[in-house]
Amino acid sequence: MKYFKYSLLIFLCVISFYVSDKLLLYVENASPLMQAINDVEDFDEYAPVNATIDGNTIIPGKKGRTINKRETYLKMNDFGAFNNTFFVYDYESPEVSLDDNLDKVIIKGNDDKKISLLVDTNKYDEFFLENKIKTTKLISNKDNITDDENISYINANLDKDLFYDLNYYLKRKKENNKICLVGKSNIEVCKTLKYYLVEPNLNMYHSNVVMVKTKLEGGSIIYIHDDVSLSELKVIVQEINYKNLEIVSLSELIKE
């Protein structure tokens, strides 16, 4: 009899929680706020896109996203009114994901409206900073770090010990984006640390500016070598703007 009473009590508690939860959901779904959310025709949802693999190379895919109506409701309810900037999304990784293929080399980004610029010198800093152009800089020591939010960094040390020394500093400064460049970074260490491996699809020199101008497109990773003059760089930036492409950091360009 004693065990029966305990079992009945537990059963009633479970039923009570279940009924309360269902009642709460019913009230939420019937509320004007949830109705307003349900009436939205376009939540800007999209399906995940698989990464594209070709031999040893990869082009990142994209995560899909769907609206989480209940979390959106709770957030707007706390705010006290409908506000479409408060939409909450759930994200779904693609079946063929960049993070599952870290041995592959990234050769382009996945966005046809964005590109990235890589440099290995300070000679363009003033131009980039004045125009607030996002760049990713290859550095071999901490002296080449500029305190600016538009500049991100890649550890360009082939020597193992020097790589670890600079990597420790970048992590401490929260400047480490976990990206390595083939031919510039210690790839053995990068693979051990499970960093992304990148190889630019366009290498720009003084001798091939016209070719780069012709071939640049969304998703391009352009490595601007130090023999390029400032006037030549400006030509490429003008072409990027003409094609309505956005210059973003490398980490943003390859993000799924």
Side-chain angles (χ1 to χ4, degrees), residues 138-182:
L138 301 164
I139 60 171
S140 56
N141 60 72
K142 62 184 181 181
D143 295 333
N144 290 326
I145 294 178
T146 304
D147 186 19
D148 188 272
E149 62 181 6
N150 290 314
I151 303 177
S152 54
Y153 299 93
I154 290 179
N155 190 332
N157 278 302
L158 291 171
D159 180 86
K160 183 176 182 179
D161 292 334
L162 293 177
F163 186 98
Y164 274 118
D165 287 344
L166 181 57
N167 215 48
Y168 173 76
Y169 181 82
L170 290 173
K171 288 174 69 176
R172 192 157 52 88
K173 294 285 288 184
K174 298 182 179 180
E175 296 283 359
N176 185 10
N177 53 27
K178 299 183 179 181
I179 296 175
C180 292
L181 199 72
V182 173

Side-chain angles (χ1 to χ4, degrees), residues 76-117:
M76 292 186 187
N77 192 51
D78 287 341
F79 178 69
F82 178 90
N83 188 318
N84 57 16
T85 63
F86 285 179
F87 287 156
V88 178
Y89 292 95
D90 293 325
Y91 290 87
E92 178 186 357
S93 296
E95 292 182 5
V96 182
S97 174
L98 185 61
D99 288 334
D100 295 328
N101 294 277
L102 292 175
D103 60 320
K104 307 296 183 184
V105 178
I106 302 168
I107 55 171
K108 283 188 72 177
N110 57 20
D111 195 320
D112 60 4
K113 296 180 181 178
K114 298 177 180 179
I115 69 161
S116 286
L117 302 179

Side-chain angles (χ1 to χ4, degrees), residues 33 71-81 86:
L33 180 55
E71 290 298 323
T72 297
Y73 167 82
L74 294 174
K75 190 172 182 180
M76 292 186 187
N77 192 51
D78 287 341
F79 178 69
F86 285 179

Side-chain angles (χ1 to χ4, degrees), residues 118-133:
L118 309 184
V119 295
D120 57 8
T121 177
N122 295 332
K123 66 186 287 188
Y124 316 115
D125 280 3
E126 185 176 352
F127 170 70
F128 287 141
L129 295 176
E130 284 181 355
N131 293 277
K132 297 182 179 179
I133 296 174

Side-chain angles (χ1 to χ4, degrees), residues 203-210 225-229 231-232:
N203 282 279
M204 179 177 167
Y205 300 93
H206 168 71
S207 59
N208 70 345
V209 176
V210 175
H225 292 265
D226 61 6
D227 67 338
V228 174
S229 68
S231 60
E232 290 168 334

Side-chain angles (χ1 to χ4, degrees), residues 206-220:
H206 168 71
S207 59
N208 70 345
V209 176
V210 175
M211 183 275 289
V212 171
K213 179 181 176 181
T214 303
K215 289 192 173 183
L216 70 84
E217 60 183 359
S220 291

